[in-house]
């Protein structure tokens, strides 16, 4: 979401004559796009602000004064602290105020601090075409909705990003068509609760049919009615370009009715990879988190997904040491990780955030050292299970979208499978046809077939696998 917000903000500023520079020393304006989901993310920004402020003070004597701005969630959450107490920034713009950036910068250039952190019930930036800066231009993010209504007790997002609102289907389709015309090979649909998408922008779409949830799941809000749902959007996006991979993130488990799962299985270019944030394996902790499901309902959903999409790859989020979590709750989380078999995971120790339900109603009563120990145990089990799950890839042939050189070696390339597994393979010319002798160099954005040869120890944020190249490239491969 921050990458997409950066692209939206840059599109707005570009229209007003701003030019982008890769050299920090040349910049007249430095904007930091921020996240408040965890304390560590905010601390990174505080440290960066100290560095920029020192640079700004040195520069004042000989150059145009540098203006520093904070965009996104941290601007909304810490307005007073950033502007009044610390006095480190000149401009603050919340997630719904990027259109106001030119005015805010004008005020700042006049010597005053400027801020707009108002949240909106309508803003989706539907009419703004982001300036995409993905590596080599092969992949792009497309925001389809903003905000979240789930109100999970640990989460700051509803308070920093506001209520859910969805872009009109027509504007999303137009952006995806444009990206396809530009040669983009992979689009990721974005939203804080991406699969709760519901377009009610046109009267004809405002029916009375109720939103269908995953079986056994519920919400803290009343069931919504009418609108074009996520399945409608996914259907239409997938038809634009059969050779363009379609992904989406971040979903909520409650919004996976069968119609969505069957569509994913049917469409070859919709990746068979689902992010299924569990957060905990304990029904007691899930209740305290206000997640709207039990351990049993989550496992039933996993079983239903694997039945409908047999080749699915699953990833998940887990929080260790949430308020009131007991040792038995923790053991239930470990057993859930073993039972599901994820390919990729994102695991963190709980970080209390102000404004949340947990901040007002619960106690952060798990000691830091216990949180860390439980996190390490979760990571250890996750790695064991991911190693077991990913071992099934050894000996198989996978279609890879090439991203570029591997960070490990300039002699290797890297890319991702449909299941979003990162792969590393030799940088060699490959045959244009499987049985032909003519070869061509492999470029970022190419599709290649590779054969899994060796598996490496999986990481929690990504799992890396060594691959052996089969001689076939993009010109003879389609999804």
């Amino acid at each position: 979401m921050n990458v997409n917000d950066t692209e939206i903000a840059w599109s707005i500023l570009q229209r007003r004559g701003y030019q982008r520079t890769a050299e920090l020393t040349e910049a007249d304006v430095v904007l930091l796009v921020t996240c408040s989901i965890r304390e560590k993310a905010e601390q990174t920004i505080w440290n960066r602000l100290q560095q920029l402020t020192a640079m700004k003070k040195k520069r004042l004597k000989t150059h145009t004064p540098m203006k520093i701005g904070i965009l996104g969630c941290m601007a909304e959450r810490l307005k007073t602290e950033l502007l009044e107490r610390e006095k480190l920034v000149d401009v603050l713009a919340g997630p719904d105020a990027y259109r106001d950036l030119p005015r805010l910068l004008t005020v700042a250039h006049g010597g005053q601090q400027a801020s707009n952190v108002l949240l909106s019930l309508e803003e989706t930036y539907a009419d703004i075409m982001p300036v995409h800066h993905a590596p080599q231009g092969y992949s792009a993010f497309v925001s389809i909705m903003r905000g979240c209504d789930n109100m999970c007790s640990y989460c700051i997002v509803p308070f920093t990003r506001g209520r859910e609102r969805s872009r009109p289907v027509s504007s999303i389709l137009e952006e995806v068509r444009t990206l396809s015309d530009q040669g983009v090979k992979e689009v990721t649909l974005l939203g804080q609760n991406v699969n709760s998408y519901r377009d009610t922008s046109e009267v004809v779409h405002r029916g009375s049919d109720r939103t269908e949830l995953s079986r056994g799941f519920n919400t803290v809000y009343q069931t919504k009615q009418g609108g074009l749902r996520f399945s409608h959007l996914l259907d239409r996006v997938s038809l634009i370009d059969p050779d363009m991979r379609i992904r989406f993130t971040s979903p909520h488990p409650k919004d996976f009715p069968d119609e969505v799962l069957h569509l994913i299985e049917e469409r070859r270019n919709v990746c068979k990879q689902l992010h299924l944030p569990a957060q905990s394996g304990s029904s007691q902790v899930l209740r305290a988190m206000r997640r709207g499901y039990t351990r049993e309902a989550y496992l039933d959903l996993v079983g239903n997904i694997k039945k409908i999409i047999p080749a699915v790859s699953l990833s998940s989020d887990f929080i260790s040491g949430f308020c009131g979590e007991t040792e038995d709750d923790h053991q239930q989380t470990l057993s859930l990780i073993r039972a599901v078999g994820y390919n990729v995971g994102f695991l963190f120790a709980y970080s209390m955030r102000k404004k949340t339900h947990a901040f007002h109603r619960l106690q952060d009563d798990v000691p830091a050292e216990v949180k860390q120990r439980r996190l390490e145990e979760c990571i250890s089990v996750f790695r064991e299970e991911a190693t077991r799950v990913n071992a099934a890839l050894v000996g198989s042939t996978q279609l890879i979208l090439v991203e570029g050189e591997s960070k490990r070696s300039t002699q290797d390339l890297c890319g991702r499978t449909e299941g979003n597994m990162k792969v590393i393979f030799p940088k060699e010319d490959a045959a244009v046809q499987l049985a032909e002798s003519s070869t061509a160099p492999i470029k970022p954005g190419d599709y290649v077939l590779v054969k899994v040869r060796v598996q490496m120890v999986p990481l929690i944020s990504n799992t890396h696998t060594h691959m052996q190249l089969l001689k076939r490239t993009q010109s003879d491969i389609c999804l």
Side-chain angles (χ1 to χ4, degrees):
M1 289 302 298
N2 279 3
V3 171
N4 185 252
D5 277 10
T6 300
E7 293 168 346
I8 290 171
W10 173 228
S11 180
I12 293 168
L13 293 173
Q14 190 178 54
R15 295 179 188 179
R16 294 301 185 94
Y18 284 88
Q19 297 179 345
R20 195 166 186 172
T21 176
E23 298 297 329
L24 184 59
T25 55
E26 296 178 356
D28 299 314
V29 177
V30 178
L31 302 175
L32 305 181
V33 186
T34 65
C35 173
S36 288
I37 198 72
R38 284 177 294 276
E39 184 177 357
K40 184 178 179 181
E42 288 188 351
Q43 189 56 52
T44 299
I45 294 298
W46 284 116
N47 295 341
R48 188 63 167 152
L49 281 175
Q50 297 290 348
Q51 297 168 5
L52 290 173
T53 301
M55 181 183 296
K56 177 180 179 180
K57 289 178 179 178
K58 292 180 181 178
R59 190 181 181 194
L60 282 174
K61 304 171 185 176
T62 55
H63 295 80
T64 302
M66 177 189 288
K67 300 301 177 185
I68 302 172
I70 294 289
L71 311 187
C73 295
M74 196 168 165
E76 193 284 331
R77 196 179 88 80
L78 297 173
K79 173 186 174 182
T80 302
E81 196 168 354
L82 285 164
L83 283 181
E84 298 177 8
R85 196 185 80 187
E86 301 291 345
K87 299 188 184 301
L88 296 175
V89 301
D90 305 288
V91 169
L92 285 181
D96 296 339
Y98 300 149
R99 293 181 193 270
D100 201 25
L101 272 173
R103 183 191 69 83
L104 295 174
L105 287 170
T106 298
V107 172
H109 284 305
Q112 301 179 44
Q113 289 181 314
S115 69
N116 182 349
V117 295
L118 294 176
L119 293 176
S120 169
L121 292 176
E122 292 86 27
E123 182 62 86
T124 63
Y125 302 106
D127 59 324
I128 294 176
M129 177 62 74
V131 180
H132 295 283
H133 281 276
Q136 310 296 331
Y138 69 87
S139 179
F141 296 118
V142 175
S143 177
I144 68 169
M145 57 88 70
R146 300 177 74 85
C148 183
D149 291 345
N150 291 321
M151 302 299 290
C152 300
S153 61
Y154 56 83
C155 188
I156 192 68
V157 167
F159 304 98
T160 58
R161 289 272 179 175
R163 300 295 297 274
E164 286 182 14
R165 61 271 189 206
S166 299
R167 281 178 66 181
V169 166
S170 57
S171 73
I172 298 169
L173 298 180
E174 179 184 1
E175 183 174 346
V176 175
R177 288 191 194 100
T178 299
L179 292 170
S180 176
D181 292 342
Q182 293 172 354
V184 169
K185 299 296 181 63
E186 179 181 84
V187 160
T188 302
L189 306 178
L190 292 179
Q192 268 81 25
N193 190 178
V194 67
N195 53 341
S196 72
Y197 175 87
R198 194 172 63 98
D199 175 18
T200 57
S201 61
E202 297 182 24
V203 175
V204 68
H205 298 157
R206 298 173 189 169
S208 58
D209 54 322
R210 297 162 67 88
T211 299
E212 183 181 355
L213 300 179
S214 307
R215 287 185 290 275
F217 287 67
N218 56 64
T219 65
V220 296
Y221 54 82
Q222 290 186 344
T223 303
K224 298 176 182 179
Q225 296 182 340
L228 292 178
R229 312 295 167 73
F230 184 65
S231 57
H232 299 118
L233 176 66
L234 192 60
D235 173 36
R236 297 176 68 175
V237 168
S238 68
L239 295 174
I240 290 174
D241 183 350
D243 291 336
M244 175 188 280
R245 277 182 172 174
I246 308 299
R247 301 186 187 276
F248 56 89
T249 197
S250 179
H252 191 289
K254 69 177 173 56
D255 292 305
F256 277 113
D258 286 359
E259 62 178 3
V260 172
L261 301 177
H262 283 296
L263 181 64
I264 293 170
E265 172 61 18
E266 291 167 7
R267 296 295 160 84
R268 290 186 299 167
N269 61 333
V270 178
C271 292
K272 310 301 184 284
Q273 186 271 326
L274 299 181
H275 188 57
L276 210 62
Q279 307 302 357
S280 174
S282 162
S283 293
Q284 176 178 304
V285 174
L286 290 170
R287 189 180 310 111
M289 290 179 167
R290 304 210 300 182
R291 290 290 288 172
Y293 54 87
T294 62
R295 171 193 175 92
E296 290 73 25
Y298 182 90
L299 287 172
D300 286 346
L301 174 62
V302 170
N304 192 44
I305 290 172
K306 291 183 176 182
K307 180 180 70 175
I308 296 173
I309 314 173
V312 72
S313 297
L314 297 177
S315 58
S316 193
D317 299 339
F318 285 93
I319 297 173
S320 292
F322 185 67
C323 306
E325 183 187 71
T326 66
E327 195 61 34
D328 180 63
D329 294 327
H330 169 58
Q331 292 300 321
Q332 290 183 55
T333 296
L334 296 181
S335 71
L336 183 81
I337 294 172
R338 292 189 179 100
V340 174
Y342 302 98
N343 298 79
V344 175
F346 304 88
L347 286 71
F348 304 95
Y350 175 61
S351 173
M352 176 77 83
R353 315 308 289 142
K354 292 181 179 179
K355 294 186 178 180
T356 62
H357 176 86
F359 179 79
H360 291 292
R361 302 290 181 86
L362 303 177
Q363 283 193 320
D364 188 8
D365 54 0
V366 180
E369 62 274 15
V370 175
K371 289 181 183 179
Q372 188 60 35
R373 189 258 301 167
R374 291 177 182 173
L375 174 61
E376 290 171 359
E377 290 178 2
C378 284
I379 289 174
S380 177
V381 171
F382 210 109
R383 282 190 170 136
E384 290 173 8
E385 292 305 309
T387 300
R388 178 184 60 80
V389 171
N390 295 329
L393 291 175
V394 176
S396 69
T397 300
Q398 300 288 324
L399 183 65
I400 306 300
L401 178 58
V402 181
E403 296 181 349
E405 280 190 356
S406 167
K407 293 180 180 179
R408 295 173 178 270
S409 169
T410 58
Q411 302 303 309
D412 291 329
L413 295 172
C414 68
R416 291 185 184 272
T417 68
E418 179 184 2
N420 206 30
M421 305 300 296
K422 194 169 186 178
V423 302
I424 301 168
F425 54 93
K427 184 191 290 185
E428 300 173 356
D429 289 356
V432 176
Q433 299 283 346
L434 190 61
E436 291 185 3
S437 58
S438 60
T439 62
I442 300 172
K443 308 180 300 299
D446 283 347
Y447 286 114
V448 297
L449 284 174
V450 297
K451 186 173 183 179
V452 181
R453 183 165 54 89
V454 180
Q455 181 188 11
M456 295 181 66
V457 176
L459 301 175
I460 292 304
S461 58
N462 274 312
T463 301
H464 294 67
T465 309
H466 272 308
M467 300 292 180
Q468 182 179 21
L469 184 65
L470 283 181
K471 295 183 178 180
R472 188 175 182 183
T473 57
Q474 173 195 356
S475 58
D476 192 48
I477 295 180
C478 59
L479 289 170

